[in-house]
Amino acid sequence: MDIYHHKRWSPFSGPHLLGLLFTLAGAFSFVSPYFIEGTSPDRSLYIGIGGVCFGLLVLSVYGGTLIDFKGKRIKTYYAVLGYRFGEWKELPDIASVRLIAHSYKDTNVANGISPTLSGEVTDYVGILYDQEEQPVASLVYAREKKAIHEISMIADRLGVTPDFLVAG
């Protein structure tokens, strides 16, 4: 694997949840004339097309990071409908790769769509540092095992020993 791809996309949080709901509402609008009497098929079709198109557009928006080990370059991007917007930059010599567990209290703000929940959340953040100990890139993972595996693989490809500061 010459290029590592880290994608930040979660279907059940933030705007992606809204996109999922619009897609489902649009799909329901397509079939509603079969279940609800007096519903205009034309109107249901137009509403369904609008809901599904908007929902899929929102679901297609995400961010990520590409690391080209062979070409020694890095790209932080945002993608819309599969097209990635971002510039390749030269990857400086990486001196260390660290994995840090970051815990915080997360609260959903009441918005009428998602339930208002709160709780302790732990993100696992992999950080690549250059020779001057300046961060070059950070990669956020939701699960500890995946974070350890991915950061170990990245460190191996870069020829450094990973430093795991994950609380066990």
Side-chain angles (χ1 to χ4, degrees):
M1 168 177 58
D2 291 332
I3 296 182
Y4 174 77
H5 185 197
H6 178 72
K7 184 160 73 167
R8 293 182 307 272
W9 188 83
S10 176
F12 300 111
S13 67
H16 294 129
L17 177 62
L18 182 64
L20 186 62
L21 292 174
F22 265 96
T23 304
L24 293 173
F28 177 75
S29 179
F30 284 135
V31 298
S32 66
Y34 298 108
F35 301 109
I36 303 171
E37 290 184 30
T39 305
S40 167
D42 289 342
R43 185 175 179 194
S44 295
L45 177 68
Y46 297 136
I47 291 171
I49 288 172
V52 167
C53 288
F54 180 73
L56 291 176
L57 176 69
V58 171
L59 283 170
S60 76
V61 176
Y62 62 91
T65 303
L66 295 169
I67 301 173
D68 181 359
F69 297 111
K70 197 173 193 177
K72 294 202 59 135
R73 57 191 187 146
I74 188 168
K75 178 181 186 177
T76 301
Y77 68 88
Y78 287 97
V80 179
L81 294 173
Y83 184 76
R84 297 178 184 146
F85 297 93
E87 298 282 328
W88 284 103
K89 296 178 183 174
E90 183 180 337
L91 182 65
D93 289 333
I94 302 298
S96 64
V97 177
R98 296 182 189 134
L99 182 63
I100 301 167
H102 173 65
S103 296
Y104 57 94
K105 185 172 182 168
D106 188 29
T107 303
N108 284 355
V109 177
N111 59 12
I113 297 172
S114 58
T116 306
L117 303 171
S118 63
E120 189 77 16
V121 177
T122 302
D123 285 338
Y124 301 93
V125 184
I127 305 173
L128 283 63
Y129 290 96
D130 63 11
Q131 299 294 335
E132 288 82 36
E133 288 296 313
Q134 295 297 315
V136 174
S138 65
L139 311 168
V140 180
Y141 302 92
R143 293 187 309 259
E144 182 179 5
K145 281 187 177 185
K146 180 175 181 171
I148 291 172
H149 176 265
E150 298 289 316
I151 293 301
S152 296
M153 187 273 308
I154 291 170
D156 183 53
R157 292 298 310 260
L158 293 170
V160 298
T161 304
D163 184 13
F164 297 111
L165 304 174
V166 175

